[in-house]
Structure formats: C-alpha cells, structure tokens
C-alpha cells in the first residue's frame, strides 16, 4: 500500500493505542490525551449529525413548499414565493413566480389607465 496516495483512517482505538505506546508520557498525560481524543470525536460526530439533520429538514421544507405550490389553485391569482433554506453545507435561496397570466394583463391595463387619468387631471390646467 502506497502511503503517498492512500489516506489512512484512524479511529479512536488506534489513536489511543498510539498514545499508550508513547514512552515519555505519564499516566495522567495519557489519560488526558485519551479524554481529548474521545471529546473531539464526540464533537465531530455531533457536528456531522447536525449538518445531516439540517439538510434533511431543508429537503422536507422544499418538498412541502413545492407540493403546496403545485396543489394551489392558481386560477385568477398570481403567486410569488421567495424562500431561503439552510442546509448542512450552506444556504440556498429559491424564488418562484407564476400563476394566471390572464389576471396580470387586465391589472396592468387598469393600473395604466388610472396613472394616465391621474396625470391628465394634474396637468390639464
């Protein structure tokens, strides 16, 4: 096995075996190092589990949002949704727009007519 190309996997028992074989350490130092190794392992595992949990929650939230938007009756309405989701590897932002385009055009026409009428009233003098 070539050590330059392979990564060695060291688990807690191997590291503790290495610590016990170091000749210049006292029993207290060996015990303290063993406790640090165990504590670090627990912290690393805890962090990894938190990231996995965040990713699973983000996936569930995204699927719920997509399901609700799909099931939503979009007849006569315009939908705009913006969601920021935190995952174990970071955050991502989703922005979705859609709905009944037949509603947007009449609303824009009415808005345009109101603005033109307001301008005519203001500048007609």
């Amino acid at each position: 096995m070539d050590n330059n190309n392979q990564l060695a996997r060291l688990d807690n028992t191997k590291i503790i075996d290495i610590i016990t074989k170091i000749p210049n350490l006292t029993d207290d130092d060996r015990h303290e190092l063993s406790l640090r190794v165990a504590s670090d392992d627990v912290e690393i595992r805890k962090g990894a589990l938190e990231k996995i949990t965040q990713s699973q929650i983000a996936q569930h939230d995204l699927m719920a949002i997509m399901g609700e938007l799909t099931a939503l009756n979009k007849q006569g309405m315009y939908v705009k949704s913006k969601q920021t989701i935190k995952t174990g590897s970071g955050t991502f932002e989703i922005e979705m727009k859609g709905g009944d385009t037949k509603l947007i055009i009449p609303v824009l026409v009415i808005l345009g007519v109101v603005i033109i009428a307001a301008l005519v009233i203001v500048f007609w003098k």
Side-chain angles (χ1 to χ4, degrees):
M1 190 185 310
D2 187 9
N3 287 336
N4 292 333
N5 293 330
Q6 297 285 35
L7 292 175
R9 182 173 181 262
L10 295 176
D11 58 5
N12 283 348
T13 56
K14 289 180 184 177
I15 294 173
I16 291 173
D17 286 342
I18 292 171
I19 290 172
T20 57
K21 292 178 184 176
I22 298 175
N24 297 337
L25 292 178
T26 65
D27 287 337
D28 290 337
D29 290 339
R30 285 187 183 109
H31 182 68
E32 184 178 336
L33 283 174
S34 297
L35 287 177
R36 282 188 189 174
V37 167
S39 174
D40 290 346
D41 183 58
V42 168
E43 289 298 318
I44 290 170
R45 289 177 192 269
K46 178 182 171 188
L49 287 174
E50 286 175 357
K51 289 181 182 274
I52 289 170
T53 303
Q54 285 176 343
S55 293
Q56 289 173 341
I57 290 170
Q59 180 184 11
H60 177 266
D61 290 348
L62 178 62
M63 297 306 278
I65 291 168
M66 294 300 291
E68 288 176 16
L69 286 176
T70 302
L72 188 64
N73 182 7
K74 296 171 206 69
Q75 184 68 29
M77 67 184 311
Y78 179 73
V79 178
K80 180 178 178 183
S81 173
K82 187 173 184 178
Q83 183 76 24
T84 302
I85 298 177
K86 183 177 179 184
T87 67
S89 61
T91 59
F92 65 94
E93 191 171 285
I94 300 170
E95 185 171 347
M96 294 173 275
K97 299 177 184 177
D100 192 358
T101 56
K102 295 176 189 172
L103 176 71
I104 296 171
I105 295 172
V107 169
L108 291 177
V109 169
I110 292 170
L111 186 63
V113 169
V114 169
I115 291 173
I116 291 172
L119 291 173
V120 168
I121 292 171
V122 170
F123 294 111
W124 187 257
K125 294 179 182 181

